[in-house]
Amino acid sequence: DRQGESERVKGYRASSHLTIRIRDIEKTGTVLDKAVSMGINHVIDNICFSISDPKDILQKARRKAVHDAKTKAETIVSELGCRLGRISCISTESGHSYPMPPMQMQHGSRSVGFSQHSTSPLPTIATGENSYKVSVEITWEIIQTTSEM
């Protein structure tokens, strides 16, 4: 009650969120179409493509990063007439980015509907690609093998 006035409810707003995992990417348009035909009016908040378990991909990337670091270090020290000694420090960082494809929802100059009863085509989703990055920093002791420097 504000200064003798009572508050009145002017309306209600309800929302719910649903996450759907689709393993067959070809079915994405059909799933979206079905969702709208069931009355869902805010279909897409975020479409994200990812790999279910990127562990093997990241492991392979780490191996390659370590190999690349060692190869570069060996090239440098051999040019200096030295060799690699003990490793004194290792650090690693990994990350990934997911493609966020735009939905192609235009057909000529009109928007394409989702309704299952419509003759409009199903929406198409551009897939893009996932990217995984691993960086490794390795610090070696350097052992001089020649007396000239």
Side-chain angles (χ1 to χ4, degrees):
D1 188 52
R2 285 182 274 172
Q3 298 179 0
E5 295 179 22
S6 63
E7 291 185 27
R8 281 192 265 159
V9 176
K10 294 181 182 177
Y12 294 94
R13 181 178 188 178
S15 66
S16 76
H17 298 273
L18 175 66
T19 299
I20 299 173
R21 180 168 293 170
I22 303 170
R23 300 219 182 262
D24 182 355
I25 208 160
E26 298 297 321
K27 294 180 181 177
T28 305
T30 303
V31 170
L32 293 174
D33 186 60
K34 183 68 174 174
V36 171
S37 72
M38 294 171 64
I40 297 171
N41 58 9
H42 186 147
V43 177
I44 300 169
D45 198 19
N46 185 6
I47 293 180
C48 178
F49 295 99
S50 65
I51 295 174
S52 297
D53 185 7
K55 182 175 58 178
D56 291 341
I57 291 170
L58 289 169
Q59 187 68 9
K60 183 178 178 181
R62 274 187 209 97
R63 283 189 176 110
K64 183 174 180 352
V66 167
H67 176 76
D68 289 351
K70 186 175 181 184
T71 300
K72 288 176 185 176
E74 287 172 338
T75 300
I76 292 167
V77 295
S78 76
E79 287 298 315
L80 296 171
C82 301
R83 64 182 174 91
L84 295 177
R86 294 182 317 150
I87 294 173
S88 61
C89 181
I90 299 175
S91 66
T92 183
E93 187 177 312
S94 61
H96 58 278
S97 63
Y98 301 113
M100 304 297 272
M103 285 193 45
Q104 299 165 354
M105 302 268 307
Q106 296 296 315
H107 187 282
S109 61
R110 65 180 182 84
S111 290
V112 175
F114 280 106
S115 172
Q116 132 182 7
H117 306 293
S118 169
T119 58
S120 298
L122 293 176
T124 56
I125 310 296
T127 56
E129 65 182 49
N130 289 311
S131 128
Y132 293 88
K133 178 182 177 182
V134 174
S135 56
V136 174
E137 186 173 307
I138 305 172
T139 305
W140 281 273
E141 292 178 357
I142 299 173
I143 300 170
Q144 270 190 289
T145 55
T146 61
S147 58
E148 271 184 57
M149 266 318 277

